[in-house]
Amino acid sequence: MKEISTKCLIIGSGPAGYTAAIYTSRANLNPILYRGIQPGGQLTTTTEIENFPGYPEGTTGPELMEDLSRQAERFGADLRDGIITSVDFSVRPLEATTDDGTLIKADTVIISTGATAKYLGLPDEEKYKGLGVSACATCDGFFYRGKRVAVVGGGDTACEEALYLSNLAAEVYLIVRKDHLRASKVMQRRVLDKANIKILFNTNTVGLYGEEFLEGAHLVEHKGHHTNERFYDLPLDGFFLAIGHQPNTEVFRPYIHLDDTGYIKTEGNTTITNIPGVFAAGDVADHRYRQAITAAGSGCKAALDAERYITEQE
């Protein structure tokens, strides 16, 4: 088994991981970063990004991740392709094993594995991802100004997304598979009071359609109830998923404290976890904001926390 050592192991790329790599490299921690199953994170599936500071003309997700990657490499970060398949945080130094069997011993670990948006599982979702299908209204809503969009979901997140889009789009459809909203009473009232939001109760999406870009959704009302079942097509420009995110934390579960939905718990406004020397940055510890810029900021915080920890140990 190949064995390597580092002062700082960063697990996962994306804005949080790459920013952590930039800061830890400048602090002479000689970090090793493993990019993970999706190098660059969720933003690599986003076509246009117009709200990340420093890009007045906008950029694309892949270009932004490439810029951050090159910046980290410029300061000496060791960026590697591969996946961390197991960890042992009960020993010192901390240990992690990669998919090729390499054992990494690290003084500190920064977890930036992100969270994966939940999708309906339709083949069409992948086909139109970035071409009309999105899991982030705050990220992509601007492109649907004055257009027709739909949001799938019935909880607080779905209502928040619908309300946000209602200030941009001409029409917003909230597709809810049940006969009621699960959202809080306050959120329900706000949605119901919005003139350009229409709620489609007892409705499931069974497919999407369009030539080059998304043009609409195939819907079914009262699915499975043959007497009331009704199929129809809804023309749309944008289709937003708001049925939750799944944090990528399974490999850390035996050691790291997680909340009820699987997000890593951190101490107060820091990136410190329950394991000394292990820090969490980005969407893996953030179920509220989930933005590229907030992920990058937490990557900076994790790097500073890791540097302070090493200094204190020395």
PDB file of all heavy atoms in Angstrom, residues 147-150 171 173 209 214-219 232-238:
ATOM      1  N   LYS A 147     -40.375  35.019 -18.045  1.00  0.00           N
ATOM      2  CA  LYS A 147     -40.719  33.751 -18.687  1.00  0.00           C
ATOM      3  C   LYS A 147     -41.597  32.883 -17.784  1.00  0.00           C
ATOM      4  O   LYS A 147     -41.973  33.277 -16.690  1.00  0.00           O
ATOM      5  CB  LYS A 147     -39.443  33.016 -19.093  1.00  0.00           C
ATOM      6  CG  LYS A 147     -38.612  33.797 -20.126  1.00  0.00           C
ATOM      7  CD  LYS A 147     -37.412  33.010 -20.597  1.00  0.00           C
ATOM      8  CE  LYS A 147     -36.653  33.786 -21.657  1.00  0.00           C
ATOM      9  NZ  LYS A 147     -35.488  33.030 -22.177  1.00  0.00           N
ATOM     10  N   ARG A 148     -41.905  31.681 -18.268  1.00  0.00           N
ATOM     11  CA  ARG A 148     -42.744  30.733 -17.526  1.00  0.00           C
ATOM     12  C   ARG A 148     -41.862  29.659 -16.914  1.00  0.00           C
ATOM     13  O   ARG A 148     -41.087  29.005 -17.619  1.00  0.00           O
ATOM     14  CB  ARG A 148     -43.767  30.067 -18.463  1.00  0.00           C
ATOM     15  CG  ARG A 148     -44.881  30.970 -18.926  1.00  0.00           C
ATOM     16  CD  ARG A 148     -45.589  30.359 -20.132  1.00  0.00           C
ATOM     17  NE  ARG A 148     -46.109  29.035 -19.865  1.00  0.00           N
ATOM     18  CZ  ARG A 148     -47.376  28.774 -19.579  1.00  0.00           C
ATOM     19  NH1 ARG A 148     -48.255  29.746 -19.477  1.00  0.00           N
ATOM     20  NH2 ARG A 148     -47.784  27.538 -19.379  1.00  0.00           N
ATOM     21  N   VAL A 149     -41.994  29.450 -15.614  1.00  0.00           N
ATOM     22  CA  VAL A 149     -41.177  28.451 -14.934  1.00  0.00           C
ATOM     23  C   VAL A 149     -42.039  27.621 -13.986  1.00  0.00           C
ATOM     24  O   VAL A 149     -43.150  28.016 -13.633  1.00  0.00           O
ATOM     25  CB  VAL A 149     -40.025  29.108 -14.129  1.00  0.00           C
ATOM     26  CG1 VAL A 149     -39.126  29.927 -15.035  1.00  0.00           C
ATOM     27  CG2 VAL A 149     -40.568  29.973 -13.001  1.00  0.00           C
ATOM     28  N   ALA A 150     -41.485  26.483 -13.579  1.00  0.00           N
ATOM     29  CA  ALA A 150     -42.157  25.631 -12.599  1.00  0.00           C
ATOM     30  C   ALA A 150     -41.175  25.253 -11.514  1.00  0.00           C
ATOM     31  O   ALA A 150     -39.969  25.119 -11.764  1.00  0.00           O
ATOM     32  CB  ALA A 150     -42.708  24.374 -13.264  1.00  0.00           C
ATOM     33  N   GLU A 171     -44.747  33.903 -14.982  1.00  0.00           N
ATOM     34  CA  GLU A 171     -45.629  32.915 -14.372  1.00  0.00           C
ATOM     35  C   GLU A 171     -44.807  31.843 -13.666  1.00  0.00           C
ATOM     36  O   GLU A 171     -43.792  31.390 -14.196  1.00  0.00           O
ATOM     37  CB  GLU A 171     -46.514  32.240 -15.427  1.00  0.00           C
ATOM     38  CG  GLU A 171     -47.467  33.167 -16.147  1.00  0.00           C
ATOM     39  CD  GLU A 171     -48.220  32.432 -17.249  1.00  0.00           C
ATOM     40  OE1 GLU A 171     -49.169  31.696 -16.913  1.00  0.00           O
ATOM     41  OE2 GLU A 171     -47.833  32.567 -18.416  1.00  0.00           O
ATOM     42  N   TYR A 173     -45.325  28.090 -11.684  1.00  0.00           N
ATOM     43  CA  TYR A 173     -46.178  26.965 -11.316  1.00  0.00           C
ATOM     44  C   TYR A 173     -45.475  26.171 -10.225  1.00  0.00           C
ATOM     45  O   TYR A 173     -44.307  25.811 -10.372  1.00  0.00           O
ATOM     46  CB  TYR A 173     -46.446  26.068 -12.520  1.00  0.00           C
ATOM     47  CG  TYR A 173     -47.283  26.736 -13.582  1.00  0.00           C
ATOM     48  CD1 TYR A 173     -46.678  27.473 -14.590  1.00  0.00           C
ATOM     49  CD2 TYR A 173     -48.669  26.635 -13.566  1.00  0.00           C
ATOM     50  CE1 TYR A 173     -47.432  28.106 -15.560  1.00  0.00           C
ATOM     51  CE2 TYR A 173     -49.441  27.262 -14.537  1.00  0.00           C
ATOM     52  CZ  TYR A 173     -48.821  27.998 -15.526  1.00  0.00           C
ATOM     53  OH  TYR A 173     -49.586  28.620 -16.482  1.00  0.00           O
ATOM     54  N   TYR A 209     -39.849  17.828 -22.150  1.00  0.00           N
ATOM     55  CA  TYR A 209     -39.711  17.796 -23.598  1.00  0.00           C
ATOM     56  C   TYR A 209     -39.107  19.100 -24.109  1.00  0.00           C
ATOM     57  O   TYR A 209     -39.056  20.112 -23.404  1.00  0.00           O
ATOM     58  CB  TYR A 209     -41.058  17.514 -24.269  1.00  0.00           C
ATOM     59  CG  TYR A 209     -42.118  18.583 -24.072  1.00  0.00           C
ATOM     60  CD1 TYR A 209     -42.235  19.655 -24.957  1.00  0.00           C
ATOM     61  CD2 TYR A 209     -43.020  18.518 -23.007  1.00  0.00           C
ATOM     62  CE1 TYR A 209     -43.206  20.625 -24.782  1.00  0.00           C
ATOM     63  CE2 TYR A 209     -43.998  19.477 -22.821  1.00  0.00           C
ATOM     64  CZ  TYR A 209     -44.086  20.535 -23.717  1.00  0.00           C
ATOM     65  OH  TYR A 209     -45.042  21.499 -23.547  1.00  0.00           O
ATOM     66  N   LEU A 214     -35.165  23.018 -22.955  1.00  0.00           N
ATOM     67  CA  LEU A 214     -36.441  22.634 -22.353  1.00  0.00           C
ATOM     68  C   LEU A 214     -37.570  23.485 -22.909  1.00  0.00           C
ATOM     69  O   LEU A 214     -37.441  24.705 -23.028  1.00  0.00           O
ATOM     70  CB  LEU A 214     -36.373  22.815 -20.829  1.00  0.00           C
ATOM     71  CG  LEU A 214     -37.691  22.577 -20.083  1.00  0.00           C
ATOM     72  CD1 LEU A 214     -37.918  21.086 -19.897  1.00  0.00           C
ATOM     73  CD2 LEU A 214     -37.698  23.286 -18.753  1.00  0.00           C
ATOM     74  N   GLU A 215     -38.677  22.846 -23.239  1.00  0.00           N
ATOM     75  CA  GLU A 215     -39.843  23.576 -23.735  1.00  0.00           C
ATOM     76  C   GLU A 215     -41.092  23.311 -22.896  1.00  0.00           C
ATOM     77  O   GLU A 215     -42.091  24.012 -23.033  1.00  0.00           O
ATOM     78  CB  GLU A 215     -40.115  23.204 -25.196  1.00  0.00           C
ATOM     79  CG  GLU A 215     -39.007  23.666 -26.138  1.00  0.00           C
ATOM     80  CD  GLU A 215     -39.242  23.235 -27.579  1.00  0.00           C
ATOM     81  OE1 GLU A 215     -40.401  22.854 -27.908  1.00  0.00           O
ATOM     82  OE2 GLU A 215     -38.289  23.271 -28.371  1.00  0.00           O
ATOM     83  N   GLY A 216     -41.030  22.287 -22.029  1.00  0.00           N
ATOM     84  CA  GLY A 216     -42.192  22.020 -21.200  1.00  0.00           C
ATOM     85  C   GLY A 216     -42.083  20.717 -20.449  1.00  0.00           C
ATOM     86  O   GLY A 216     -41.087  19.989 -20.559  1.00  0.00           O
ATOM     87  N   ALA A 217     -43.132  20.417 -19.676  1.00  0.00           N
ATOM     88  CA  ALA A 217     -43.151  19.208 -18.844  1.00  0.00           C
ATOM     89  C   ALA A 217     -44.401  18.395 -19.129  1.00  0.00           C
ATOM     90  O   ALA A 217     -45.487  18.946 -19.370  1.00  0.00           O
ATOM     91  CB  ALA A 217     -43.096  19.593 -17.370  1.00  0.00           C
ATOM     92  N   HIS A 218     -44.240  17.070 -19.115  1.00  0.00           N
ATOM     93  CA  HIS A 218     -45.376  16.160 -19.186  1.00  0.00           C
ATOM     94  C   HIS A 218     -45.857  15.924 -17.758  1.00  0.00           C
ATOM     95  O   HIS A 218     -45.096  15.427 -16.918  1.00  0.00           O
ATOM     96  CB  HIS A 218     -44.959  14.827 -19.811  1.00  0.00           C
ATOM     97  CG  HIS A 218     -44.398  14.943 -21.196  1.00  0.00           C
ATOM     98  ND1 HIS A 218     -45.107  15.487 -22.247  1.00  0.00           N
ATOM     99  CD2 HIS A 218     -43.188  14.572 -21.702  1.00  0.00           C
ATOM    100  CE1 HIS A 218     -44.375  15.447 -23.343  1.00  0.00           C
ATOM    101  NE2 HIS A 218     -43.206  14.897 -23.040  1.00  0.00           N
ATOM    102  N   LEU A 219     -47.094  16.254 -17.460  1.00  0.00           N
ATOM    103  CA  LEU A 219     -47.625  16.146 -16.106  1.00  0.00           C
ATOM    104  C   LEU A 219     -48.787  15.160 -16.053  1.00  0.00           C
ATOM    105  O   LEU A 219     -49.456  14.905 -17.058  1.00  0.00           O
ATOM    106  CB  LEU A 219     -48.097  17.517 -15.607  1.00  0.00           C
ATOM    107  CG  LEU A 219     -47.082  18.658 -15.621  1.00  0.00           C
ATOM    108  CD1 LEU A 219     -47.731  19.938 -15.089  1.00  0.00           C
ATOM    109  CD2 LEU A 219     -45.849  18.314 -14.811  1.00  0.00           C
ATOM    110  N   TYR A 232     -51.347  15.799 -19.179  1.00  0.00           N
ATOM    111  CA  TYR A 232     -51.326  17.002 -20.026  1.00  0.00           C
ATOM    112  C   TYR A 232     -49.908  17.577 -20.066  1.00  0.00           C
ATOM    113  O   TYR A 232     -49.049  17.219 -19.247  1.00  0.00           O
ATOM    114  CB  TYR A 232     -52.316  18.057 -19.528  1.00  0.00           C
ATOM    115  CG  TYR A 232     -52.027  18.629 -18.153  1.00  0.00           C
ATOM    116  CD1 TYR A 232     -51.372  19.855 -18.017  1.00  0.00           C
ATOM    117  CD2 TYR A 232     -52.434  17.969 -17.007  1.00  0.00           C
ATOM    118  CE1 TYR A 232     -51.129  20.394 -16.759  1.00  0.00           C
ATOM    119  CE2 TYR A 232     -52.196  18.495 -15.746  1.00  0.00           C
ATOM    120  CZ  TYR A 232     -51.535  19.711 -15.629  1.00  0.00           C
ATOM    121  OH  TYR A 232     -51.288  20.236 -14.387  1.00  0.00           O
ATOM    122  N   ASP A 233     -49.648  18.435 -21.022  1.00  0.00           N
ATOM    123  CA  ASP A 233     -48.346  19.079 -21.174  1.00  0.00           C
ATOM    124  C   ASP A 233     -48.425  20.532 -20.726  1.00  0.00           C
ATOM    125  O   ASP A 233     -49.418  21.230 -21.014  1.00  0.00           O
ATOM    126  CB  ASP A 233     -47.875  19.027 -22.634  1.00  0.00           C
ATOM    127  CG  ASP A 233     -47.495  17.620 -23.071  1.00  0.00           C
ATOM    128  OD1 ASP A 233     -47.315  16.760 -22.187  1.00  0.00           O
ATOM    129  OD2 ASP A 233     -47.376  17.388 -24.288  1.00  0.00           O
ATOM    130  N   LEU A 234     -47.388  20.977 -20.025  1.00  0.00           N
ATOM    131  CA  LEU A 234     -47.327  22.352 -19.542  1.00  0.00           C
ATOM    132  C   LEU A 234     -46.118  23.032 -20.185  1.00  0.00           C
ATOM    133  O   LEU A 234     -44.974  22.675 -19.874  1.00  0.00           O
ATOM    134  CB  LEU A 234     -47.189  22.381 -18.013  1.00  0.00           C
ATOM    135  CG  LEU A 234     -47.070  23.756 -17.368  1.00  0.00           C
ATOM    136  CD1 LEU A 234     -48.380  24.534 -17.540  1.00  0.00           C
ATOM    137  CD2 LEU A 234     -46.724  23.626 -15.879  1.00  0.00           C
ATOM    138  N   PRO A 235     -46.324  23.983 -21.091  1.00  0.00           N
ATOM    139  CA  PRO A 235     -45.195  24.689 -21.711  1.00  0.00           C
ATOM    140  C   PRO A 235     -44.418  25.491 -20.669  1.00  0.00           C
ATOM    141  O   PRO A 235     -45.012  26.210 -19.850  1.00  0.00           O
ATOM    142  CB  PRO A 235     -45.876  25.627 -22.725  1.00  0.00           C
ATOM    143  CG  PRO A 235     -47.217  25.022 -22.958  1.00  0.00           C
ATOM    144  CD  PRO A 235     -47.626  24.406 -21.654  1.00  0.00           C
ATOM    145  N   LEU A 236     -43.093  25.333 -20.670  1.00  0.00           N
ATOM    146  CA  LEU A 236     -42.240  25.990 -19.677  1.00  0.00           C
ATOM    147  C   LEU A 236     -40.913  26.398 -20.303  1.00  0.00           C
ATOM    148  O   LEU A 236     -40.445  25.774 -21.256  1.00  0.00           O
ATOM    149  CB  LEU A 236     -41.944  25.041 -18.507  1.00  0.00           C
ATOM    150  CG  LEU A 236     -43.090  24.598 -17.611  1.00  0.00           C
ATOM    151  CD1 LEU A 236     -42.620  23.458 -16.706  1.00  0.00           C
ATOM    152  CD2 LEU A 236     -43.602  25.767 -16.776  1.00  0.00           C
ATOM    153  N   ASP A 237     -40.300  27.424 -19.709  1.00  0.00           N
ATOM    154  CA  ASP A 237     -38.939  27.807 -20.087  1.00  0.00           C
ATOM    155  C   ASP A 237     -37.926  27.295 -19.067  1.00  0.00           C
ATOM    156  O   ASP A 237     -36.770  27.049 -19.414  1.00  0.00           O
ATOM    157  CB  ASP A 237     -38.832  29.337 -20.180  1.00  0.00           C
ATOM    158  CG  ASP A 237     -39.787  29.908 -21.207  1.00  0.00           C
ATOM    159  OD1 ASP A 237     -39.592  29.633 -22.399  1.00  0.00           O
ATOM    160  OD2 ASP A 237     -40.731  30.627 -20.810  1.00  0.00           O
ATOM    161  N   GLY A 238     -38.378  27.157 -17.821  1.00  0.00           N
ATOM    162  CA  GLY A 238     -37.479  26.704 -16.762  1.00  0.00           C
ATOM    163  C   GLY A 238     -38.170  25.730 -15.822  1.00  0.00           C
ATOM    164  O   GLY A 238     -39.374  25.859 -15.550  1.00  0.00           O
TER     165      GLY A 238
END
